[in-house]
Amino acid sequence: MSSLRHFRAGSLPWLLAHEIRLFFYELGGTKTTQQKIQRGLGKRSLIFMLLVGLLMHIPAWFFVPKLSPLLYDPPKSLLIGCTLVLLLFFSWMLSAALNRSVHALFERGDIDLLLSSPLPSYTIFSARLAAVMTGTTSLFLIFLSPFAHIGLLLGEWRWLALYPTLLSLAMIASSCAMLLTLALVRLIGVRRTLTTAQVIGALTGAALFIVSQLFGNVSTSFRNRIVQTMTRWSQDNALFDDTSWLWLPAKALLGAPLASFGFVLLGLIVFYCTVRYTHHFFVTGLQQVSGMSHQSAKSASVGKSQQVSARKFQTGLIKNVLIKEWRLIRRDPQLISQVLLQLLYMLPLFFVIVRRDVQLASVAAMIAFIASSLSSSLIWIIVSGEDAQDLLRAAPASYKTIRNAKLAAAIFPVALLIALPALWIVTNQPVQGAFIIAVWLLAICSAALIQLWHSKPAARSAFKQRGQGNLIGVFLDLICSLSWGATIFVGAKFGWWACAPLMLALLTLAIAWISRKQDA
């Protein structure tokens, strides 16, 4: 609280300092030690971030002197490259800002306190939006600020434009994310917004990757037509000539004074308009969220009782476990968005696998690795994230049967996902396709088994931190997944040499079984 004493209570800087402090608390989570509870980033995390920032000065020292002469008269290729980089940064910022906007609206738990406080809604919304912007841009500054430092050290002041450009880009991304979240609240309601915004965030983060993969794997003639069209638009007096306003962000990043001033002004205008014209609806959204928790207690007994009365009890232990696990995942939008991100990276592979000139071995190996990673994630959610472990242990049923049902609940969705490319491969290349499908299934089952043997109970909200405290399981899972992917690639290229990665995968699986938990 000492940091808040420097500001007047109730002012915008006072509330913003509190929001930023909460951001760093939430960044590290909550860790329990022997005597006290530590919140926020620990010493090891802070030291690691400091080392990363210092090490980034090394590549900056090599690149800054080479790129500095180009800043004063940048060629078209550099403008295009900087625009693409900023577009990639914007997509990542928008994805992160969407998640933080949802967190600010739905998951902070301070809704009633804010609504009952004497603070104006304008101050509350401004602080929330500024906190979202701060959290969105912090990671980018760790990796990119060393270039500004080296540029200043070498007397190239234009590199300092990295700071205002990234902050302005974060302002625009955060404002768009908050506006989209509030618009979803008005259009589809609070409950559906929680799921929809998480999914949109995952789609936004992976959109450029999917587009780049699809563009790199389309036909050569179609790709040439796109390049010719872009070249024609880049000529003088065309849409993308040197004087086009579309190059404003790139020129601002390269330190052009007028462009930097214009881009900062654009970010401030977007930020101000977002706060000025939507802070009243922000309060309305908070009231909806606050009222949702009170209405749920009343409507749950009525609505859910009607739903339960319409359902029938399913017969069969395995069938009930499968339905229960899939239903719990379906009800958790945050898990859906995080798992969906893995599916999005797999999506381009399904499109390009049907091309005649594609390297089938490379694509099939990547599918094996991603499918095994997805299977490992699902089994972690189903086993480690189980909230009723004691209840299942005390159930009048074999725990081995329940565990096998949980294993099937993680494997079936992934197997169904690869069914279409598997069918295409078998139809066109029966022998090679049978080998690839067998390795795919072995990779999926191996990843699920390793996670099952080494999983530890944890809250489902800790999905992103699932590797902490289980380094052995993570290492064995990674080696096994890479080995199965290498088995496909080496088998297609070098024949019987595939036995080497195959034996490594089986050995890793054996080590995972030997070092498993006693109750697994």
Side-chain angles (χ1 to χ4, degrees), residues 327-353:
R327 184 173 293 165
L328 288 178
I329 294 176
R330 180 173 58 87
R331 291 175 178 175
D332 196 329
Q334 187 173 6
L335 281 179
I336 291 176
S337 63
Q338 293 170 357
V339 175
L340 178 65
L341 193 58
Q342 299 182 19
L343 298 181
L344 292 176
Y345 288 111
M346 190 186 296
L347 185 62
L349 303 177
F350 291 166
F351 286 107
V352 305
I353 199 173

Side-chain angles (χ1 to χ4, degrees), residues 18-31:
H18 175 67
E19 292 283 345
I20 294 176
R21 187 182 65 169
L22 287 181
F23 164 74
F24 284 102
Y25 277 168
E26 295 164 356
L27 191 63
T30 303
K31 297 181 180 180

Side-chain angles (χ1 to χ4, degrees), residues 349-368:
L349 303 177
F350 291 166
F351 286 107
V352 305
I353 199 173
V354 299
R355 286 184 50 193
R356 296 183 180 274
D357 57 341
V358 74
Q359 296 292 331
L360 181 60
S362 302
V363 176
M366 293 179 65
I367 290 179

Side-chain angles (χ1 to χ4, degrees), residues 81-230:
C82 291
T83 301
L84 293 177
V85 169
L86 288 176
L87 187 60
L88 179 63
F89 287 172
F90 181 79
S91 67
W92 289 345
M93 287 182 176
L94 184 60
S95 176
L98 274 170
N99 291 327
R100 295 208 61 79
S101 298
V102 170
H103 178 74
L105 277 174
F106 300 99
E107 300 173 0
R108 280 284 295 273
D110 56 356
I111 304 300
D112 294 333
L113 180 62
L114 284 172
L115 292 178
S116 60
S117 70
L119 294 174
S121 60
Y122 184 89
T123 301
I124 297 174
F125 187 43
S126 299
R128 280 287 169 94
L129 187 56
V132 170
M133 181 201 70
T134 303
T136 301
T137 191
S138 58
L139 184 62
F140 292 89
L141 289 177
I142 292 176
F143 287 94
L144 297 177
S145 60
F147 290 86
H149 301 161
I150 298 298
L152 182 62
L153 182 63
L154 297 177
E156 298 291 344
W157 59 270
R158 285 201 172 200
W159 285 96
L160 293 176
L162 281 168
Y163 281 101
T165 302
L166 290 177
L167 290 174
S168 301
L169 194 67
M171 283 184 192
I172 298 174
S174 302
S175 300
C176 293
M178 186 63 75
L179 289 173
L180 179 59
T181 304
L182 295 176
L184 289 174
V185 171
R186 170 167 290 185
L187 293 176
I188 61 179
V190 174
R191 295 181 181 274
R192 294 179 180 177
T193 298
L194 184 60
T195 303
T196 306
Q198 295 278 1
V199 174
I200 292 176
L203 285 170
T204 305
L208 286 182
F209 170 81
I210 296 175
V211 172
S212 63
Q213 291 297 312
L214 292 177
F215 178 78
N217 290 278
V218 295
S219 62
T220 305
S221 59
F222 181 75
R223 188 163 58 246
N224 290 335
R225 287 199 301 269
I226 295 179
V227 173
Q228 291 174 1
T229 302
M230 297 300 295

Side-chain angles (χ1 to χ4, degrees), residues 435 439 482-492 495 498-503 505:
F435 169 73
V439 175
L482 291 174
S483 300
W484 287 121
T487 300
I488 295 177
F489 184 81
V490 176
C499 293
L502 175 62
M503 295 302 298

Side-chain angles (χ1 to χ4, degrees), residues 238-269:
L239 181 62
F240 298 150
D241 62 357
D242 294 337
T243 61
S244 175
W245 61 270
L246 294 174
W247 306 121
L248 177 67
K251 292 180 179 179
L253 183 64
L254 296 177
L258 291 179
S260 298
F261 176 78
F263 194 58
V264 171
L265 184 61
L266 176 62
L268 290 174
I269 291 175

